[in-house]
Amino acid sequence: MKHLKIHNRFTTELPADPNETNETRQVLNTLFSYVKPTTPSDPKLIHASKEVAELVGISADEIKSEEFVNVFSGKEILPETKPYAMCYAGHQFGNWAGQLGDGRAINLTEVEHNNQYFTLQLKGAGKTPYSRTADGLAVLRSSIREYLCAEAMYYLGVPTTRSLSLILSGDQVLRDILYNGNPAYEKGAIVCRVAPSFIRFGSFEMLTARNELKNLKQFVEYNIKHYFPEIKGEPKEKYLQFFKTVADKTREMILHWQRVGFVHGVMNTDNMSVHGITIDYGPYGWLENYDPNWTPNTTDSQNRRYRFGNQPQVAQWNLFQLANSLYPLINEAEPLEKILESFITDFNSDYTKMILSKLGLCTSAENDAEFITYLESNLQLSETDMTIFYRNLNKIRKSDSAEKALQAIEDAFYKPEEIKDTIKDNWLLWFTDYLERLNQENTSDEERIKLQNSVNPKYVLRNYMAQLAIDAADKEDYSLVIELYELLKKPYDEQPESEKWFAKRPDWARSKVGCSMLSCSS
Ligand code: AMP
Ligand code: MG
């Protein structure tokens, strides 16, 4: 891969940690530490994305080479590169956590291809100065989840990091999945992920918390220069514009999460990308029955801070932390506060439009908010699968009766026997309104359905699907990883041969670890 166009902008333009020993420590006055990946004992490629490889300038043939496995498992370092771990801090579950940093992520380098820049990062390639008491490794289970989900999100149209490769390390990793004193060995794995950069809100928070204001200014300038070059003007104006841009991008990302039913699970500020892309796939999950209070993360089951319905508010809270860390460069609270306030009002109006598009409605009405609230309360009367409900709206025709429309979506009900009496009446009332709205639209059924099918996915990575792929992979059968990867490349298409994945979560998965309950142990 000698032809790769290597860049090291982050490490050449920003202050490095002069200490190159790989020891856990507080690292001051710097943004990163040089660190070499740990050599894996027997790396084996499970899967690589041809599309992501091409994106960064690697050919399909090169994927098959020994060099590819060696480079993306950390066994071999590309010439002209010097891997590094980033130093950042963050708020975890609402509390200031101080220095965190890349504890098990190692950035290999940046590459340029077709005038685009990408950072290539290994996750699970061994300890760094930021590993604290942990081992710097990742298990196959969580690596499959990250690998598949990032690509599924990309094809759903959700801003995200990408996955280049999934490689077994050949080493065993000890994990206590449920944190209940039952640790067991699992297979280790390494994912190479790709993004414009892996800079987080917590990267800025760290500099301000330590009062490293010169570095803060340099770092914000670095971000603007390379990632937001359209931002120009006086320094203060530029920094405000920077904050506004990050807020806008974050808002768009959350809107997509709410559209497809994705729950991140750990929206700590160290897991929020400055690019507004979904990053750090841990105990994430997909809503099956529509429940705004649901979170897949067992670590958060008490407070449910990161529940589905709270994601916009948490994003705003996280942006508030970013605003605080930019404040020393701006010294004026009001314009920052204004941006934060408009985050929620803008989100709410975008949300209404987004749900209307899921319903296939192009024209807004005065009672939109009420109409949507009514729908969302109905969706919670009896367990109703979010994905199936929205997708099956494409079976409804304008000329249908409310009763017929309700029948069109009945596959979405987990307990169809509950759809009677008041629950049924509520649905019939809502469908009566809905059909009236459809009949007021100028679009034909066909046109509407086309729009709906482009925003209501047919296939998402349901938690139990990922778990089935994990269980098989544990027995060295990777066919399901490949099958799901291919399926999720076309989430909006009808794929008749894969109809079995357009189904409600099976009963056995209701309370199985990995399906409805996940921990941060990864
Ligand atoms: P996360 O919740 O996965 O985003 O991780 C929070 C922090 O813990 C980050 O600084 C991670 O790098 C670090 N971390 C998580 N797992 C490990 C691990 N196995 N070894 C070292 N650091 C880790
Ligand atoms: Mg993280």
Side-chain angles (χ1 to χ4, degrees), residues 88 92 101 123 193 200 266 268 270-271 279-280:
Y88 53 79
Q92 297 186 312
K123 185 166 175 180
R193 47 188 194 175
R200 299 130 194 277
V266 202
N268 293 335
D270 53 303
N271 291 337
I279 190 174
D280 278 6

Side-chain angles (χ1 to χ4, degrees), residues 378-396:
N378 277 1
L379 285 169
Q380 294 168 70
L381 292 175
S382 171
E383 286 184 8
T384 311
D385 192 89
M386 177 179 173
T387 306
I388 298 177
F389 172 81
Y390 279 109
R391 183 72 183 191
N392 278 357
L393 293 176
N394 68 8
K395 292 187 183 170
I396 295 173

Side-chain angles (χ1 to χ4, degrees), residues 88 92 100-105 123 130-132 134-137 175 266 268 270-271 280 520 522:
Y88 53 79
Q92 297 186 312
L100 295 165
D102 288 333
R104 55 157 164 189
K123 185 166 175 180
Y130 308 96
S131 297
R132 296 177 287 163
D135 56 11
L137 304 174
R175 286 289 181 272
V266 202
N268 293 335
D270 53 303
N271 291 337
D280 278 6
C520 289
S522 56

Side-chain angles (χ1 to χ4, degrees), residues 260-393:
V260 299
F262 175 80
V263 190
H264 183 285
V266 202
M267 286 178 72
N268 293 335
T269 56
D270 53 303
N271 291 337
M272 297 293 290
S273 158
V274 76
H275 306 287
I277 56 179
T278 316
I279 190 174
D280 278 6
Y281 291 87
Y284 68 82
W286 295 82
L287 273 199
E288 286 172 305
N289 54 299
Y290 183 84
D291 176 6
N293 286 319
W294 185 71
T295 174
N297 186 355
T298 49
T299 317
D300 191 27
S301 58
Q302 284 291 310
N303 296 320
R304 296 182 179 266
R305 179 181 174 86
Y306 299 143
R307 62 190 182 273
F308 177 69
N310 208 30
Q311 296 189 126
Q313 282 69 27
V314 171
Q316 186 197 35
W317 191 92
N318 289 341
L319 282 161
F320 179 70
Q321 306 312 318
L322 179 63
N324 271 339
S325 58
L326 296 175
Y327 177 78
L329 301 181
I330 296 167
N331 285 310
E332 233 188 299
E334 211 190 312
L336 288 166
E337 282 163 5
K338 259 178 115 169
I339 296 168
L340 284 167
E341 277 162 28
S342 65
F343 179 85
I344 290 291
T345 42
D346 291 350
F347 180 85
N348 288 342
S349 72
D350 288 355
Y351 182 80
T352 301
K353 279 189 220 125
M354 181 273 283
I355 297 291
L356 289 183
S357 75
K358 286 177 80 69
L359 297 173
L361 299 171
C362 303
T363 346
S364 47
E366 226 169 280
N367 67 345
D368 279 342
E370 220 178 301
F371 178 60
I372 292 171
T373 309
Y374 189 9
L375 165 65
E376 290 177 345
S377 98
N378 277 1
L379 285 169
Q380 294 168 70
L381 292 175
S382 171
E383 286 184 8
T384 311
D385 192 89
M386 177 179 173
T387 306
I388 298 177
F389 172 81
Y390 279 109
R391 183 72 183 191
N392 278 357
L393 293 176

Side-chain angles (χ1 to χ4, degrees), residues 244-263:
K244 170 91 169 69
T245 307
V246 177
D248 286 346
K249 287 183 180 290
T250 303
R251 197 182 71 234
E252 280 167 36
M253 171 185 78
I254 304 283
L255 193 70
H256 282 291
W257 289 4
Q258 305 309 99
R259 173 174 66 83
V260 299
F262 175 80
V263 190

